[in-house]
Amino acid sequence: MKTITIALTVFAVLGVAHAFSIPLPEHPRPDFYRADWVNLNGEWEFHEDYSRSGRARKLYHADAALDQKITVPFCRESVLSGLGHTDFCECVWYRRTVTLPEGWNTGSDRILLHIGACDYKTEVWVNGKNVVNHVGGYVPVNADITDA
């Protein structure tokens, strides 16, 4: 099995993890269902980056301290997220370490990361490597993370 660390920095608002084991465990898009998939809902590390200095502090690295937990897929403003923070924060960070199932990342198979929705500007880091940058409001973000 291979372990990867996924870090997201989101400028404006995005939803992620906390109190439940896996909230909304069903496949979010039954029309795209496949047998080999992992639901990333649940508890994530989280940080509200009011100073927007997280990239300079390398918060995308697995050993960087993020000071809160959040439950995905709920936004930070929701009580279901475990936070219920309604003040505005322009930049937030989410991070989660994931162990890929046995047999993934072998041969010609690709590993894709699908984020159902995020707001304005999102950067996705896997194992400290920036894999995708996205600008747009409340739309999905997808990345091939196989090489990261």
Side-chain angles (χ1 to χ4, degrees):
M1 288 198 245
K2 183 173 183 171
T3 301
I4 62 172
T5 299
I6 301 170
L8 306 174
T9 178
V10 180
F11 295 91
V13 184
L14 164 80
V16 185
H18 173 64
F20 316 103
S21 57
I22 298 183
L24 304 173
E26 67 278 357
H27 195 284
R29 295 284 309 269
D31 50 335
F32 290 127
Y33 179 80
R34 58 188 44 136
D36 295 332
W37 75 286
V38 174
N39 187 324
L40 298 180
N41 289 351
E43 186 174 273
W44 285 61
E45 296 174 81
F46 182 78
H47 176 72
E48 295 168 312
D49 187 5
Y50 288 98
S51 64
R52 295 183 64 177
S53 62
R55 191 179 308 113
R57 292 182 289 142
K58 299 183 180 178
L59 293 182
Y60 49 84
H61 284 294
D63 58 352
L66 299 187
D67 56 353
Q68 298 178 68
K69 303 287 184 194
I70 187 169
T71 300
V72 171
F74 308 109
C75 65
R76 65 187 274 285
E77 294 83 3
S78 170
V79 174
L80 293 173
S81 75
L83 296 174
H85 294 181
T86 56
D87 57 323
F88 183 75
C89 183
E90 191 172 315
C91 179
V92 295
W93 288 80
Y94 297 83
R95 184 176 56 223
R96 177 157 179 196
T97 298
V98 177
T99 300
L100 299 177
E102 193 69 42
W104 281 29
N105 203 16
T106 60
S108 62
D109 291 340
R110 307 303 292 170
I111 299 171
L112 305 177
L113 174 66
H114 299 283
I115 300 169
C118 58
D119 188 25
Y120 184 56
K121 182 178 178 187
T122 301
E123 298 174 358
V124 179
W125 304 77
V126 176
N127 294 332
K129 179 181 178 184
N130 182 244
V131 295
V132 70
N133 295 312
H134 167 81
V135 176
Y138 300 106
V139 295
V141 175
N142 303 300
D144 182 334
I145 62 172
T146 308
D147 298 330

PDB file of all heavy atoms in Angstrom, residues 41-71:
ATOM      1  N   ASN A  41     -14.438  11.910   2.242  1.00  0.00           N
ATOM      2  CA  ASN A  41     -15.210  12.612   3.267  1.00  0.00           C
ATOM      3  C   ASN A  41     -14.739  12.133   4.628  1.00  0.00           C
ATOM      4  O   ASN A  41     -14.272  11.022   4.782  1.00  0.00           O
ATOM      5  CB  ASN A  41     -16.706  12.318   3.134  1.00  0.00           C
ATOM      6  CG  ASN A  41     -17.321  12.979   1.923  1.00  0.00           C
ATOM      7  OD1 ASN A  41     -16.695  13.792   1.265  1.00  0.00           O
ATOM      8  ND2 ASN A  41     -18.553  12.617   1.632  1.00  0.00           N
ATOM      9  N   GLY A  42     -14.887  12.967   5.625  1.00  0.00           N
ATOM     10  CA  GLY A  42     -14.480  12.620   6.982  1.00  0.00           C
ATOM     11  C   GLY A  42     -13.586  13.703   7.559  1.00  0.00           C
ATOM     12  O   GLY A  42     -13.638  14.856   7.133  1.00  0.00           O
ATOM     13  N   GLU A  43     -12.777  13.333   8.509  1.00  0.00           N
ATOM     14  CA  GLU A  43     -11.949  14.311   9.209  1.00  0.00           C
ATOM     15  C   GLU A  43     -10.690  14.667   8.421  1.00  0.00           C
ATOM     16  O   GLU A  43      -9.970  13.794   7.950  1.00  0.00           O
ATOM     17  CB  GLU A  43     -11.547  13.774  10.583  1.00  0.00           C
ATOM     18  CG  GLU A  43     -10.810  14.815  11.404  1.00  0.00           C
ATOM     19  CD  GLU A  43     -10.548  14.347  12.810  1.00  0.00           C
ATOM     20  OE1 GLU A  43     -11.432  14.532  13.662  1.00  0.00           O
ATOM     21  OE2 GLU A  43      -9.469  13.771  13.047  1.00  0.00           O
ATOM     22  N   TRP A  44     -10.471  15.955   8.297  1.00  0.00           N
ATOM     23  CA  TRP A  44      -9.273  16.510   7.670  1.00  0.00           C
ATOM     24  C   TRP A  44      -8.634  17.483   8.656  1.00  0.00           C
ATOM     25  O   TRP A  44      -9.316  18.066   9.506  1.00  0.00           O
ATOM     26  CB  TRP A  44      -9.629  17.302   6.417  1.00  0.00           C
ATOM     27  CG  TRP A  44     -10.008  16.498   5.202  1.00  0.00           C
ATOM     28  CD1 TRP A  44     -11.054  15.628   5.077  1.00  0.00           C
ATOM     29  CD2 TRP A  44      -9.351  16.525   3.942  1.00  0.00           C
ATOM     30  NE1 TRP A  44     -11.084  15.122   3.809  1.00  0.00           N
ATOM     31  CE2 TRP A  44     -10.057  15.654   3.092  1.00  0.00           C
ATOM     32  CE3 TRP A  44      -8.243  17.205   3.452  1.00  0.00           C
ATOM     33  CZ2 TRP A  44      -9.673  15.442   1.763  1.00  0.00           C
ATOM     34  CZ3 TRP A  44      -7.881  16.994   2.126  1.00  0.00           C
ATOM     35  CH2 TRP A  44      -8.582  16.121   1.305  1.00  0.00           C
ATOM     36  N   GLU A  45      -7.338  17.697   8.523  1.00  0.00           N
ATOM     37  CA  GLU A  45      -6.681  18.781   9.249  1.00  0.00           C
ATOM     38  C   GLU A  45      -7.087  20.077   8.553  1.00  0.00           C
ATOM     39  O   GLU A  45      -7.363  20.084   7.348  1.00  0.00           O
ATOM     40  CB  GLU A  45      -5.167  18.618   9.200  1.00  0.00           C
ATOM     41  CG  GLU A  45      -4.654  17.371   9.893  1.00  0.00           C
ATOM     42  CD  GLU A  45      -3.177  17.209   9.671  1.00  0.00           C
ATOM     43  OE1 GLU A  45      -2.399  17.861  10.384  1.00  0.00           O
ATOM     44  OE2 GLU A  45      -2.823  16.443   8.751  1.00  0.00           O
ATOM     45  N   PHE A  46      -7.078  21.185   9.295  1.00  0.00           N
ATOM     46  CA  PHE A  46      -7.614  22.431   8.758  1.00  0.00           C
ATOM     47  C   PHE A  46      -6.890  23.609   9.396  1.00  0.00           C
ATOM     48  O   PHE A  46      -6.476  23.555  10.554  1.00  0.00           O
ATOM     49  CB  PHE A  46      -9.109  22.499   9.079  1.00  0.00           C
ATOM     50  CG  PHE A  46      -9.821  23.709   8.542  1.00  0.00           C
ATOM     51  CD1 PHE A  46     -10.185  23.790   7.219  1.00  0.00           C
ATOM     52  CD2 PHE A  46     -10.128  24.770   9.388  1.00  0.00           C
ATOM     53  CE1 PHE A  46     -10.851  24.901   6.726  1.00  0.00           C
ATOM     54  CE2 PHE A  46     -10.793  25.883   8.906  1.00  0.00           C
ATOM     55  CZ  PHE A  46     -11.157  25.944   7.573  1.00  0.00           C
ATOM     56  N   HIS A  47      -6.747  24.684   8.633  1.00  0.00           N
ATOM     57  CA  HIS A  47      -6.141  25.916   9.156  1.00  0.00           C
ATOM     58  C   HIS A  47      -6.743  27.117   8.443  1.00  0.00           C
ATOM     59  O   HIS A  47      -6.854  27.129   7.210  1.00  0.00           O
ATOM     60  CB  HIS A  47      -4.628  25.897   8.947  1.00  0.00           C
ATOM     61  CG  HIS A  47      -3.949  27.161   9.377  1.00  0.00           C
ATOM     62  ND1 HIS A  47      -3.791  27.501  10.705  1.00  0.00           N
ATOM     63  CD2 HIS A  47      -3.393  28.162   8.660  1.00  0.00           C
ATOM     64  CE1 HIS A  47      -3.158  28.666  10.781  1.00  0.00           C
ATOM     65  NE2 HIS A  47      -2.913  29.077   9.557  1.00  0.00           N
ATOM     66  N   GLU A  48      -7.144  28.118   9.207  1.00  0.00           N
ATOM     67  CA  GLU A  48      -7.607  29.382   8.645  1.00  0.00           C
ATOM     68  C   GLU A  48      -6.400  30.304   8.540  1.00  0.00           C
ATOM     69  O   GLU A  48      -5.802  30.680   9.534  1.00  0.00           O
ATOM     70  CB  GLU A  48      -8.700  29.977   9.538  1.00  0.00           C
ATOM     71  CG  GLU A  48      -9.928  29.090   9.546  1.00  0.00           C
ATOM     72  CD  GLU A  48     -10.946  29.456  10.610  1.00  0.00           C
ATOM     73  OE1 GLU A  48     -10.545  29.646  11.776  1.00  0.00           O
ATOM     74  OE2 GLU A  48     -12.131  29.535  10.271  1.00  0.00           O
ATOM     75  N   ASP A  49      -6.041  30.638   7.319  1.00  0.00           N
ATOM     76  CA  ASP A  49      -4.812  31.373   7.030  1.00  0.00           C
ATOM     77  C   ASP A  49      -5.132  32.851   6.788  1.00  0.00           C
ATOM     78  O   ASP A  49      -5.123  33.327   5.656  1.00  0.00           O
ATOM     79  CB  ASP A  49      -4.151  30.734   5.804  1.00  0.00           C
ATOM     80  CG  ASP A  49      -2.779  31.279   5.494  1.00  0.00           C
ATOM     81  OD1 ASP A  49      -2.260  32.103   6.271  1.00  0.00           O
ATOM     82  OD2 ASP A  49      -2.218  30.880   4.451  1.00  0.00           O
ATOM     83  N   TYR A  50      -5.429  33.573   7.861  1.00  0.00           N
ATOM     84  CA  TYR A  50      -5.813  34.984   7.745  1.00  0.00           C
ATOM     85  C   TYR A  50      -4.706  35.830   7.127  1.00  0.00           C
ATOM     86  O   TYR A  50      -4.969  36.816   6.448  1.00  0.00           O
ATOM     87  CB  TYR A  50      -6.236  35.541   9.102  1.00  0.00           C
ATOM     88  CG  TYR A  50      -7.566  35.001   9.563  1.00  0.00           C
ATOM     89  CD1 TYR A  50      -7.637  33.941  10.461  1.00  0.00           C
ATOM     90  CD2 TYR A  50      -8.760  35.527   9.076  1.00  0.00           C
ATOM     91  CE1 TYR A  50      -8.864  33.426  10.869  1.00  0.00           C
ATOM     92  CE2 TYR A  50      -9.991  35.023   9.476  1.00  0.00           C
ATOM     93  CZ  TYR A  50     -10.033  33.974  10.375  1.00  0.00           C
ATOM     94  OH  TYR A  50     -11.243  33.456  10.770  1.00  0.00           O
ATOM     95  N   SER A  51      -3.449  35.447   7.345  1.00  0.00           N
ATOM     96  CA  SER A  51      -2.325  36.232   6.817  1.00  0.00           C
ATOM     97  C   SER A  51      -1.951  35.846   5.384  1.00  0.00           C
ATOM     98  O   SER A  51      -1.102  36.492   4.778  1.00  0.00           O
ATOM     99  CB  SER A  51      -1.100  36.052   7.712  1.00  0.00           C
ATOM    100  OG  SER A  51      -0.670  34.697   7.672  1.00  0.00           O
ATOM    101  N   ARG A  52      -2.576  34.774   4.852  1.00  0.00           N
ATOM    102  CA  ARG A  52      -2.266  34.264   3.518  1.00  0.00           C
ATOM    103  C   ARG A  52      -0.787  33.938   3.362  1.00  0.00           C
ATOM    104  O   ARG A  52      -0.198  34.120   2.302  1.00  0.00           O
ATOM    105  CB  ARG A  52      -2.725  35.233   2.438  1.00  0.00           C
ATOM    106  CG  ARG A  52      -4.226  35.402   2.399  1.00  0.00           C
ATOM    107  CD  ARG A  52      -4.682  36.289   1.284  1.00  0.00           C
ATOM    108  NE  ARG A  52      -4.337  35.664   0.015  1.00  0.00           N
ATOM    109  CZ  ARG A  52      -4.649  36.149  -1.160  1.00  0.00           C
ATOM    110  NH1 ARG A  52      -5.327  37.267  -1.247  1.00  0.00           N
ATOM    111  NH2 ARG A  52      -4.299  35.540  -2.270  1.00  0.00           N
ATOM    112  N   SER A  53      -0.182  33.425   4.421  1.00  0.00           N
ATOM    113  CA  SER A  53       1.250  33.105   4.406  1.00  0.00           C
ATOM    114  C   SER A  53       1.503  31.599   4.388  1.00  0.00           C
ATOM    115  O   SER A  53       2.644  31.165   4.521  1.00  0.00           O
ATOM    116  CB  SER A  53       1.927  33.718   5.636  1.00  0.00           C
ATOM    117  OG  SER A  53       1.383  33.153   6.823  1.00  0.00           O
ATOM    118  N   GLY A  54       0.468  30.795   4.224  1.00  0.00           N
ATOM    119  CA  GLY A  54       0.606  29.342   4.282  1.00  0.00           C
ATOM    120  C   GLY A  54       1.552  28.758   3.250  1.00  0.00           C
ATOM    121  O   GLY A  54       2.288  27.822   3.537  1.00  0.00           O
ATOM    122  N   ARG A  55       1.539  29.294   2.045  1.00  0.00           N
ATOM    123  CA  ARG A  55       2.457  28.784   1.026  1.00  0.00           C
ATOM    124  C   ARG A  55       3.893  29.059   1.441  1.00  0.00           C
ATOM    125  O   ARG A  55       4.746  28.184   1.353  1.00  0.00           O
ATOM    126  CB  ARG A  55       2.162  29.399  -0.336  1.00  0.00           C
ATOM    127  CG  ARG A  55       2.903  28.694  -1.456  1.00  0.00           C
ATOM    128  CD  ARG A  55       2.643  29.252  -2.856  1.00  0.00           C
ATOM    129  NE  ARG A  55       1.240  29.369  -3.202  1.00  0.00           N
ATOM    130  CZ  ARG A  55       0.606  30.538  -3.383  1.00  0.00           C
ATOM    131  NH1 ARG A  55       1.231  31.674  -3.224  1.00  0.00           N
ATOM    132  NH2 ARG A  55      -0.657  30.568  -3.721  1.00  0.00           N
ATOM    133  N   ALA A  56       4.176  30.261   1.947  1.00  0.00           N
ATOM    134  CA  ALA A  56       5.524  30.592   2.401  1.00  0.00           C
ATOM    135  C   ALA A  56       5.933  29.734   3.605  1.00  0.00           C
ATOM    136  O   ALA A  56       7.098  29.378   3.757  1.00  0.00           O
ATOM    137  CB  ALA A  56       5.617  32.076   2.762  1.00  0.00           C
ATOM    138  N   ARG A  57       4.947  29.381   4.437  1.00  0.00           N
ATOM    139  CA  ARG A  57       5.216  28.517   5.599  1.00  0.00           C
ATOM    140  C   ARG A  57       5.179  27.040   5.234  1.00  0.00           C
ATOM    141  O   ARG A  57       5.332  26.186   6.098  1.00  0.00           O
ATOM    142  CB  ARG A  57       4.203  28.809   6.711  1.00  0.00           C
ATOM    143  CG  ARG A  57       4.393  30.193   7.315  1.00  0.00           C
ATOM    144  CD  ARG A  57       3.407  30.453   8.446  1.00  0.00           C
ATOM    145  NE  ARG A  57       2.058  30.631   7.935  1.00  0.00           N
ATOM    146  CZ  ARG A  57       0.948  30.191   8.524  1.00  0.00           C
ATOM    147  NH1 ARG A  57       1.014  29.517   9.645  1.00  0.00           N
ATOM    148  NH2 ARG A  57      -0.224  30.425   7.991  1.00  0.00           N
ATOM    149  N   LYS A  58       4.957  26.741   3.957  1.00  0.00           N
ATOM    150  CA  LYS A  58       4.936  25.379   3.424  1.00  0.00           C
ATOM    151  C   LYS A  58       3.925  24.487   4.140  1.00  0.00           C
ATOM    152  O   LYS A  58       4.212  23.354   4.501  1.00  0.00           O
ATOM    153  CB  LYS A  58       6.339  24.773   3.447  1.00  0.00           C
ATOM    154  CG  LYS A  58       7.310  25.556   2.595  1.00  0.00           C
ATOM    155  CD  LYS A  58       8.671  24.943   2.558  1.00  0.00           C
ATOM    156  CE  LYS A  58       9.556  25.813   1.659  1.00  0.00           C
ATOM    157  NZ  LYS A  58      10.904  25.341   1.602  1.00  0.00           N
ATOM    158  N   LEU A  59       2.707  25.002   4.302  1.00  0.00           N
ATOM    159  CA  LEU A  59       1.653  24.226   4.941  1.00  0.00           C
ATOM    160  C   LEU A  59       1.225  23.021   4.103  1.00  0.00           C
ATOM    161  O   LEU A  59       0.500  22.166   4.583  1.00  0.00           O
ATOM    162  CB  LEU A  59       0.443  25.109   5.247  1.00  0.00           C
ATOM    163  CG  LEU A  59       0.653  26.185   6.308  1.00  0.00           C
ATOM    164  CD1 LEU A  59      -0.642  26.947   6.554  1.00  0.00           C
ATOM    165  CD2 LEU A  59       1.188  25.593   7.601  1.00  0.00           C
ATOM    166  N   TYR A  60       1.685  22.942   2.869  1.00  0.00           N
ATOM    167  CA  TYR A  60       1.368  21.802   2.010  1.00  0.00           C
ATOM    168  C   TYR A  60       2.203  20.571   2.345  1.00  0.00           C
ATOM    169  O   TYR A  60       1.952  19.484   1.831  1.00  0.00           O
ATOM    170  CB  TYR A  60       1.537  22.169   0.531  1.00  0.00           C
ATOM    171  CG  TYR A  60       2.840  22.853   0.197  1.00  0.00           C
ATOM    172  CD1 TYR A  60       3.986  22.109  -0.043  1.00  0.00           C
ATOM    173  CD2 TYR A  60       2.914  24.237   0.141  1.00  0.00           C
ATOM    174  CE1 TYR A  60       5.183  22.740  -0.345  1.00  0.00           C
ATOM    175  CE2 TYR A  60       4.097  24.881  -0.166  1.00  0.00           C
ATOM    176  CZ  TYR A  60       5.235  24.123  -0.398  1.00  0.00           C
ATOM    177  OH  TYR A  60       6.417  24.752  -0.689  1.00  0.00           O
ATOM    178  N   HIS A  61       3.193  20.697   3.211  1.00  0.00           N
ATOM    179  CA  HIS A  61       3.993  19.544   3.632  1.00  0.00           C
ATOM    180  C   HIS A  61       3.302  18.787   4.761  1.00  0.00           C
ATOM    181  O   HIS A  61       2.648  19.393   5.614  1.00  0.00           O
ATOM    182  CB  HIS A  61       5.389  19.977   4.095  1.00  0.00           C
ATOM    183  CG  HIS A  61       6.302  20.319   2.959  1.00  0.00           C
ATOM    184  ND1 HIS A  61       6.736  19.382   2.050  1.00  0.00           N
ATOM    185  CD2 HIS A  61       6.851  21.497   2.583  1.00  0.00           C
ATOM    186  CE1 HIS A  61       7.517  19.964   1.165  1.00  0.00           C
ATOM    187  NE2 HIS A  61       7.598  21.255   1.457  1.00  0.00           N
ATOM    188  N   ALA A  62       3.470  17.479   4.785  1.00  0.00           N
ATOM    189  CA  ALA A  62       2.797  16.614   5.764  1.00  0.00           C
ATOM    190  C   ALA A  62       3.163  16.936   7.205  1.00  0.00           C
ATOM    191  O   ALA A  62       2.354  16.739   8.107  1.00  0.00           O
ATOM    192  CB  ALA A  62       3.114  15.147   5.474  1.00  0.00           C
ATOM    193  N   ASP A  63       4.354  17.456   7.451  1.00  0.00           N
ATOM    194  CA  ASP A  63       4.778  17.711   8.832  1.00  0.00           C
ATOM    195  C   ASP A  63       4.459  19.124   9.318  1.00  0.00           C
ATOM    196  O   ASP A  63       4.712  19.461  10.466  1.00  0.00           O
ATOM    197  CB  ASP A  63       6.265  17.421   8.997  1.00  0.00           C
ATOM    198  CG  ASP A  63       7.149  18.241   8.062  1.00  0.00           C
ATOM    199  OD1 ASP A  63       6.617  18.938   7.164  1.00  0.00           O
ATOM    200  OD2 ASP A  63       8.376  18.182   8.217  1.00  0.00           O
ATOM    201  N   ALA A  64       3.880  19.957   8.470  1.00  0.00           N
ATOM    202  CA  ALA A  64       3.496  21.313   8.888  1.00  0.00           C
ATOM    203  C   ALA A  64       2.260  21.236   9.790  1.00  0.00           C
ATOM    204  O   ALA A  64       1.349  20.459   9.537  1.00  0.00           O
ATOM    205  CB  ALA A  64       3.204  22.174   7.662  1.00  0.00           C
ATOM    206  N   ALA A  65       2.252  22.026  10.837  1.00  0.00           N
ATOM    207  CA  ALA A  65       1.148  21.976  11.803  1.00  0.00           C
ATOM    208  C   ALA A  65      -0.075  22.741  11.294  1.00  0.00           C
ATOM    209  O   ALA A  65       0.018  23.914  10.960  1.00  0.00           O
ATOM    210  CB  ALA A  65       1.609  22.558  13.134  1.00  0.00           C
ATOM    211  N   LEU A  66      -1.204  22.041  11.222  1.00  0.00           N
ATOM    212  CA  LEU A  66      -2.493  22.685  10.980  1.00  0.00           C
ATOM    213  C   LEU A  66      -3.255  22.554  12.292  1.00  0.00           C
ATOM    214  O   LEU A  66      -3.323  21.476  12.869  1.00  0.00           O
ATOM    215  CB  LEU A  66      -3.257  22.025   9.832  1.00  0.00           C
ATOM    216  CG  LEU A  66      -2.587  22.055   8.455  1.00  0.00           C
ATOM    217  CD1 LEU A  66      -3.538  21.529   7.388  1.00  0.00           C
ATOM    218  CD2 LEU A  66      -2.111  23.439   8.078  1.00  0.00           C
ATOM    219  N   ASP A  67      -3.826  23.645  12.778  1.00  0.00           N
ATOM    220  CA  ASP A  67      -4.288  23.718  14.166  1.00  0.00           C
ATOM    221  C   ASP A  67      -5.732  23.307  14.436  1.00  0.00           C
ATOM    222  O   ASP A  67      -6.171  23.334  15.574  1.00  0.00           O
ATOM    223  CB  ASP A  67      -4.054  25.125  14.709  1.00  0.00           C
ATOM    224  CG  ASP A  67      -4.707  26.208  13.857  1.00  0.00           C
ATOM    225  OD1 ASP A  67      -5.229  25.894  12.765  1.00  0.00           O
ATOM    226  OD2 ASP A  67      -4.692  27.376  14.271  1.00  0.00           O
ATOM    227  N   GLN A  68      -6.488  22.904  13.419  1.00  0.00           N
ATOM    228  CA  GLN A  68      -7.890  22.547  13.625  1.00  0.00           C
ATOM    229  C   GLN A  68      -8.234  21.281  12.853  1.00  0.00           C
ATOM    230  O   GLN A  68      -7.442  20.800  12.051  1.00  0.00           O
ATOM    231  CB  GLN A  68      -8.807  23.685  13.154  1.00  0.00           C
ATOM    232  CG  GLN A  68      -8.620  24.984  13.918  1.00  0.00           C
ATOM    233  CD  GLN A  68      -9.512  26.068  13.362  1.00  0.00           C
ATOM    234  OE1 GLN A  68     -10.727  26.001  13.485  1.00  0.00           O
ATOM    235  NE2 GLN A  68      -8.907  27.064  12.727  1.00  0.00           N
ATOM    236  N   LYS A  69      -9.422  20.763  13.093  1.00  0.00           N
ATOM    237  CA  LYS A  69      -9.990  19.637  12.350  1.00  0.00           C
ATOM    238  C   LYS A  69     -11.305  20.104  11.751  1.00  0.00           C
ATOM    239  O   LYS A  69     -11.982  20.948  12.317  1.00  0.00           O
ATOM    240  CB  LYS A  69     -10.259  18.437  13.268  1.00  0.00           C
ATOM    241  CG  LYS A  69      -9.052  17.930  14.022  1.00  0.00           C
ATOM    242  CD  LYS A  69      -8.105  17.203  13.114  1.00  0.00           C
ATOM    243  CE  LYS A  69      -6.955  16.619  13.946  1.00  0.00           C
ATOM    244  NZ  LYS A  69      -5.865  16.191  13.121  1.00  0.00           N
ATOM    245  N   ILE A  70     -11.652  19.541  10.602  1.00  0.00           N
ATOM    246  CA  ILE A  70     -12.912  19.869   9.958  1.00  0.00           C
ATOM    247  C   ILE A  70     -13.479  18.599   9.331  1.00  0.00           C
ATOM    248  O   ILE A  70     -12.716  17.722   8.929  1.00  0.00           O
ATOM    249  CB  ILE A  70     -12.737  20.989   8.907  1.00  0.00           C
ATOM    250  CG1 ILE A  70     -14.087  21.464   8.359  1.00  0.00           C
ATOM    251  CG2 ILE A  70     -11.793  20.561   7.803  1.00  0.00           C
ATOM    252  CD1 ILE A  70     -13.994  22.738   7.522  1.00  0.00           C
ATOM    253  N   THR A  71     -14.792  18.498   9.268  1.00  0.00           N
ATOM    254  CA  THR A  71     -15.435  17.343   8.649  1.00  0.00           C
ATOM    255  C   THR A  71     -15.882  17.684   7.242  1.00  0.00           C
ATOM    256  O   THR A  71     -16.672  18.594   7.037  1.00  0.00           O
ATOM    257  CB  THR A  71     -16.644  16.871   9.478  1.00  0.00           C
ATOM    258  OG1 THR A  71     -16.192  16.500  10.773  1.00  0.00           O
ATOM    259  CG2 THR A  71     -17.311  15.661   8.826  1.00  0.00           C
TER     260      THR A  71
END
